[in-house]
Amino acid sequence: LFLVGGRKGALVPTGMQNLAESGVDFIREGIIMQTIGPEGLRKRWVVPLLTSMFFFIFFCNITGIIPLIQMPANARMAVPLLLALMVWVIFNVVGLVNQGPIGYLKSSLFPPGVPKALYLLVTPIEFVSTFLVRPFSLAVRLFANLLAGHILLVTFAVLTASLWVAQWYAVFTPL
């Protein structure tokens, strides 16, 4: 998409260039500015990473609505697990680079605003949730959402087919 869209590099985009530029603009304005803020745009790797991940997930999932395929790639556990592990590694590396090892561990394990007496309880929970459970949590959320969407599409397709061969209540099929 981006190789074809960026081939001409016209000042006024048309066709595929317009589609590619609209996609990048959506990532910049709709995702990065809304969640990270302007500092996300100052880092050179954020826009390409999020754009490639967004379009990879989009094109993997669009197969879920194509007849006879109807199974998105992310509805299999391997792809979401790989994406989650990649994001988890990037998350931890960026945290270590920006805050240093001690500062990163301090901000990860000792959340601000928690009373000091509760740190004995909160610190192990934060360690397990941040460093051990997070990649699997991310993978399961993506996998479960896409599998549920796939199951809903197949269910409605089967129900529509069964209504179509029925007699008088075929009028309910469009609903």
Side-chain angles (χ1 to χ4, degrees):
L1 172 74
F2 292 103
L3 289 175
V4 173
R7 198 171 356 146
K8 293 179 185 174
L11 185 59
V12 178
T14 59
M16 289 297 282
Q17 182 181 353
N18 193 19
L19 184 66
E21 286 187 17
S22 296
V24 172
D25 189 51
F26 169 73
I27 300 298
R28 290 173 53 94
E29 300 300 323
I31 295 176
I32 294 174
M33 286 299 289
Q34 298 295 322
T35 57
I36 302 173
E39 62 271 7
L41 294 177
R42 286 193 284 272
K43 306 234 187 267
R44 294 179 48 128
W45 55 271
V46 174
V47 174
L49 173 74
L50 292 181
T51 303
S52 61
M53 286 188 66
F54 177 83
F55 281 101
F56 176 77
I57 292 170
F58 173 74
F59 286 123
C60 283
N61 295 338
I62 202 70
T63 60
I65 60 170
I66 297 173
L68 302 177
I69 297 176
Q70 290 181 331
M71 186 67 170
N74 288 332
R76 294 164 181 88
M77 191 61 184
V79 176
L81 186 61
L82 179 69
L83 288 171
L85 287 173
M86 183 180 71
V87 168
W88 180 74
V89 167
I90 291 170
F91 174 80
N92 285 317
V93 167
V94 168
L96 287 169
V97 168
N98 287 338
Q99 300 175 9
I102 302 298
Y104 179 64
L105 285 175
K106 182 181 175 190
S107 68
S108 295
L109 298 178
F110 303 104
V114 175
K116 298 213 184 298
L118 289 179
Y119 277 144
L120 290 172
L121 180 65
V122 171
T123 301
I125 293 171
E126 287 295 322
F127 176 78
V128 169
S129 70
T130 302
F131 296 109
L132 302 178
V133 176
R134 182 166 286 164
F136 302 106
S137 163
L138 293 171
V140 167
R141 286 193 319 213
L142 182 59
F143 167 73
N145 284 326
L146 294 169
L147 186 62
H150 163 70
I151 290 171
L152 279 173
L153 281 174
V154 170
T155 301
F156 285 122
V158 169
L159 288 173
T160 302
S162 68
L163 280 174
W164 192 254
V165 294
Q167 305 264 334
W168 62 272
Y169 46 89
V171 294
F172 296 115
T173 300
L175 299 176

